[in-house]
Amino acid sequence: MPQFFLNKRLIILLVSIIILVALIGFSLSGRSKLSWPEQFIKDTTGWVQTAVSRPTHYVANFFENLKDLQNTYTENKELKSRLDELARLESEVQKLKKDNAELQEILDIKDSLSAFEPKQATVIGRNPDKWTELLIINKGTNDGIEKNMPVITANGLIGKVKSSQSFTSTVQLLSSMDPTNRISAEIQAGGESIFGFIEGYDDEKGLLMMKRIPSDAKVKKGQTVISSGKGGVFPKGLLIGKVVEVAPAEYGLTQTAYIEPGANFDDIEHVMVAKRGSIQPELEDMIDDKEEEL
Amino acid sequence: MRKFLLPILLMVFFIVESIFVELMPPKVFGNEYILVPHFLMIAIILLTVYGPKNYGVLYGFLFGLLFDIVYTEIMGIYLCLFPLVAYICYKLMKILQTNIVMVTFISIVGVALLELGAYEMNVLINRTDMTFVSYSMDRLIPTLTLNLIFIILTVYPFKRHYEKLALSLDA
C-alpha cells in the first residue's frame, strides 16, 4: 500500500512539473492577447483594486500634503525667481509655434510624427514581486487603449502598455528587464540628433541604457533624450531623460549612454496613455486596386 | 458568512501587497533596498499551520494562480511556489512542535524559500541579471526583515482567527 501512495505522489509531481513548464512557456511565448479567462479575472480584480486603492491614496495624499506644507516658504521663493524666466520662454514658444504652423502650411504637412492624443488614467495596482515592473491602470480597450501604446507622466516617458482588457490595462515600465522592451530614441545634441535604442535598465545605478549609438557621435553629459517616433508606435518628442554617462559598448563599434529617467518610476499615481495620431495607412489603402481587378 | 471570511481576508492581503509597493518610498534608511511584501504567503503558511487540514495548499494554489494572472502575467511561477511552500511548511510542522516562536521561524523560512524560488525561476527565464550576491544583499535580507516584522505583529491574531475557523468547521 505505501508503494502505491509513493507512486501516486510521484505522478502528481511529474504532471505538475510538466504543466508548470507548459504554462510558463505559454505565458512567455509573446502572445498578442491574453486569453479570455485571464482578461475576465484581471477586470474583476480591477474593480476591487479600484475600490480599495482610491481611499488609501486619498489618505496617503493627505499626509503628503502636510509634508509639503513645511517646505512651502523656501519653495515659494525659488518659484518666484523662476517666474520671470518663464514669461520670456512663453513668448518665445508662442512665436515659434506660430512660425511652425505657418511653415507647415507652406509645406502642406498635415500629420507629424509627434501628434498624439493623451488619455488620463490612474494607477490602481502594482506588481508586488518586483521582478517585472508592471502597473495596472484603470482604463482599458473601452477607452481606446491598446497594446504597445506609450505611457507618460508629466515628467516623461515611463513605459508602454503590455496588455489591455475591457476596463483595465497593464503597463510595463522602462525599468523592467525584457528584451522586447525597446524604444527608438534620439539625443538632442545642439542642432543635430543622434539616434539609438533604449534597451534595458541598470538596476544598481538606476539608469536607463541607450544602446547602438554610432561610435563617432559626440554625446555629452546633460543632453536631453526624447523618443524619436521612428519605431512606428511611439510619437516623437516624448521626454525620456538626460544623459549622465557615456561608455563604449562591448565590441567598441557602438556607444552606450546611461540616461537618468525624467520620471520617477517609484512614485507614480496618474499617468497618460499617448495614443499616436493616426498617420499609419489604413489596410484598405495598402491593397493595390489594380491587383484586385486581375 | 463565516465561509466567506477566509477568502475575503486573503483577498485583502492580496491587494494590500500591491498598495504597499505603490506607497513605499524608494529609499529606506538612505539605501535603495528592494522590499517585497509577502503578506499573502505568510497568511497562507499560518493557515496551513493553524487552520483546517489541506486548506493552506488549496488556497495557495488558488491565490498563486490569481497572483500570476493579475500581477506577474507569467503563469506558473507563483502557481507552483505558493502551494509548494505551504506543503513544505505543513510537513515541517508535523515534525516540529507548534509553539509560537517555532511557527514564526517556520514562516520566515517559508518566505525565504518563496523568494529564492522566485529568484531562480526569474534567472531561468532570463527576466533578471542580478547576481546572487547583489540579490541577497539588496533584496533578500531587507525583504526577510520586513516580513519578519509582519509575522511577529500578526502571528497571534492569525492564530486565534484560524483556530476558531478550524473549530467551527469541526463542529
Side-chain angles (χ1 to χ4, degrees), chain A residues 5-6 30 56 79 92 97 240 293:
Chain A
F5 276 114
L6 203 69
T56 40
L79 288 175
E92 204 170 317
K97 253 191 188 167
I240 296 172
E293 281 166 21

Side-chain angles (χ1 to χ4, degrees), chain A residues 9 20 23-24 26-28 31 34 38 41-42 45 48-49 52-53 56-57 60 123-132 134 136 162-163 170 177-178 203-204 266-268, chain B residues 11 14-15 17-19 21-23 26 34-37 66-67 69-80 87 118-119 121-122 125-130 134-135 139:
Chain A
R9 249 182 230 165
L20 169 74
L23 271 177
I24 292 181
F26 173 67
S27 317
L28 292 177
R31 52 207 169 132
L34 296 177
E38 284 174 85
I41 290 172
K42 290 199 84 157
T45 42
V48 185
Q49 280 174 322
V52 179
S53 74
T56 40
H57 272 128
V123 176
I124 54 169
R126 188 175 183 142
N127 183 6
D129 102 311
K130 291 205 171 174
W131 293 116
T132 39
L134 301 175
I136 303 167
K162 188 169 183 250
S163 61
T170 312
M177 191 176 143
D178 183 352
D203 244 334
E204 274 168 39
D266 288 303
D267 186 18
I268 305 164
Chain B
M11 195 69 205
F14 179 77
I15 288 169
E17 277 190 8
S18 138
I19 291 172
V21 173
E22 260 182 81
L23 297 181
I34 304 172
L35 291 170
V36 184
L66 197 63
F67 196 96
I69 290 176
V70 175
Y71 290 138
T72 63
E73 292 206 350
I74 303 167
M75 274 187 292
I77 295 182
Y78 287 96
L79 175 68
C80 148
Y87 185 73
Y119 171 70
M121 291 265 208
N122 277 290
I125 61 170
N126 221 348
R127 282 297 157 108
T128 179
D129 52 2
M130 245 181 174
S134 72
Y135 163 72
R139 178 165 166 146

Side-chain angles (χ1 to χ4, degrees), chain A residues 7 22 38 150 190 193 196 220 222 251-252 286 292:
Chain A
N7 278 338
E38 284 174 85
S193 15
K220 278 187 209 116
Y251 305 110
M286 290 201 278
E292 276 174 24

Side-chain angles (χ1 to χ4, degrees), chain B residues 89-149:
Chain B
C89 289
Y90 176 69
K91 283 285 161 193
L92 277 177
M93 278 331 285
K94 278 199 161 172
I95 309 165
L96 302 162
Q97 66 216 117
T98 39
N99 65 39
I100 219 156
V101 181
M102 211 62 213
V103 170
T104 309
F105 177 70
I106 294 293
S107 314
I108 203 72
V109 168
V111 172
L113 279 178
L114 178 75
E115 259 296 309
L116 287 168
Y119 171 70
E120 284 304 326
M121 291 265 208
N122 277 290
V123 168
L124 270 180
I125 61 170
N126 221 348
R127 282 297 157 108
T128 179
D129 52 2
M130 245 181 174
T131 58
F132 189 77
V133 177
S134 72
Y135 163 72
S136 50
M137 291 311 291
D138 294 343
R139 178 165 166 146
L140 186 62
I141 293 169
T143 298
L144 289 184
T145 319
L146 168 76
N147 286 293
L148 184 64
I149 295 167

Side-chain angles (χ1 to χ4, degrees), chain A residues 21-268:
Chain A
V21 171
L23 271 177
I24 292 181
F26 173 67
S27 317
L28 292 177
S29 61
R31 52 207 169 132
S32 58
K33 231 178 153 191
L34 296 177
S35 57
W36 71 262
E38 284 174 85
Q39 294 199 13
F40 176 72
I41 290 172
K42 290 199 84 157
D43 271 342
T44 320
T45 42
W47 285 105
V48 185
Q49 280 174 322
T50 317
V52 179
S53 74
R54 282 287 167 79
T56 40
H57 272 128
Y58 277 122
V59 176
N61 280 345
F62 175 72
F63 284 106
E64 220 159 272
N65 287 346
L66 281 185
K67 225 168 132 193
D68 283 346
L69 272 180
Q70 293 178 328
N71 306 328
T72 317
Y73 181 72
T74 44
E75 254 173 32
N76 195 24
K77 257 186 176 174
E78 200 184 322
L79 288 175
K80 263 183 188 160
S81 67
R82 279 203 207 158
L83 211 57
D84 301 330
E85 203 188 342
L86 196 69
R88 189 182 58 79
L89 264 178
E90 205 171 351
S91 66
E92 204 170 317
V93 167
Q94 286 293 340
K95 203 185 101 222
L96 287 173
K97 253 191 188 167
K98 209 177 130 214
D99 278 0
N100 196 13
E102 276 169 13
L103 288 171
Q104 275 189 352
E105 210 169 294
I106 293 168
L107 290 172
D108 199 22
I109 299 171
K110 281 186 194 111
D111 296 311
S112 82
L113 287 175
S114 49
F116 70 86
E117 21 174 321
K119 283 212 183 321
Q120 299 282 344
T122 309
V123 176
I124 54 169
R126 188 175 183 142
N127 183 6
D129 102 311
K130 291 205 171 174
W131 293 116
T132 39
E133 294 273 27
L134 301 175
L135 297 176
I136 303 167
I137 57 172
N138 68 346
K139 292 275 163 71
T141 46
N142 279 10
D143 301 283
I145 289 172
E146 278 159 37
K147 201 187 161 172
N148 283 333
M149 282 182 179
V151 182
I152 54 180
T153 65
N155 298 322
L157 187 71
I158 56 164
K160 65 172 184 186
V161 176
K162 188 169 183 250
S163 61
S164 64
Q165 295 76 247
S166 305
F167 303 104
T168 58
S169 317
T170 312
V171 176
Q172 185 175 39
L173 294 186
L174 290 176
S175 55
S176 66
M177 191 176 143
D178 183 352
T180 60
N181 218 355
R182 187 187 297 166
I183 291 149
S184 170
E186 67 179 75
I187 300 173
Q188 292 180 316
E192 55 183 325
S193 15
I194 301 161
F195 293 97
F197 289 100
I198 301 280
E199 266 182 12
Y201 182 75
D202 193 314
D203 244 334
E204 274 168 39
K205 293 179 187 162
L207 300 173
L208 291 167
M209 288 188 281
M210 181 164 168
K211 292 182 179 169
R212 300 179 204 211
I213 303 167
S215 58
D216 55 345
K218 289 195 180 68
V219 182
K220 278 187 209 116
K221 208 176 144 181
Q223 283 170 338
T224 312
V225 182
I226 57 169
S227 65
S228 73
K230 297 206 189 298
V233 188
F234 282 30
K236 189 185 172 172
L238 300 178
L239 178 75
I240 296 172
K242 277 196 159 55
V243 177
V244 176
E245 199 185 318
V246 190
E250 271 176 77
Y251 305 110
L253 295 171
T254 55
Q255 301 181 78
T256 301
Y258 288 88
I259 293 155
E260 190 182 9
N264 179 1
F265 292 144
D266 288 303
D267 186 18
I268 305 164

